[in-house]
Amino acid sequence: MSNWFVYLLLNEKLISYTGIAVDVDERLRRHNAGQGAKFTRGRGPWRVIYTEGPLSHGDALRREAALRTDRRFKNSLKTEAMK
């Protein structure tokens, strides 16, 4: 089933977070409410700067891992988000 999305979040201090979800809007709401990943708690508010999908769960996990280590790609997204 191809219903997973990879997303990148950014906060005001330009800290990014990469994750996967079926419903990115609901996941963002949970991150901003302090109910998301431990890393995002207390570092918000977050905003979505990139999504990719829909993908299968396995493909989404592999893409998430690839994006987490791709500094050049994340830096280009941060530059665009600051404009």
Side-chain angles (χ1 to χ4, degrees):
M1 192 176 275
S2 299
N3 57 350
W4 288 86
F5 294 85
V6 179
Y7 62 90
L8 267 79
L9 304 179
L10 191 67
N11 70 6
E12 293 171 347
K13 294 182 180 178
L14 302 180
I15 297 170
S16 64
Y17 175 81
T18 307
I20 66 169
V22 173
D23 184 347
V24 176
D25 292 331
E26 174 61 19
R27 191 68 176 133
L28 174 64
R29 186 195 66 73
R30 292 185 66 204
H31 281 299
N32 283 328
Q35 301 168 346
K38 193 175 198 178
F39 178 84
T40 62
R41 293 181 196 156
R43 291 187 167 109
W46 296 95
R47 62 187 171 117
V48 176
I49 61 167
Y50 179 78
T51 60
E52 188 176 308
L55 303 166
S56 69
H57 187 251
D59 288 342
L61 287 171
R62 284 185 283 280
R63 186 64 178 139
E64 174 190 22
L67 289 178
R68 282 189 176 173
T69 60
D70 192 342
R71 288 185 179 177
R72 181 175 287 165
F73 179 72
K74 289 197 293 188
N75 284 338
S76 70
L77 288 175
K78 288 178 183 181
T79 301
E80 284 297 314
M82 293 185 327
K83 290 182 180 178

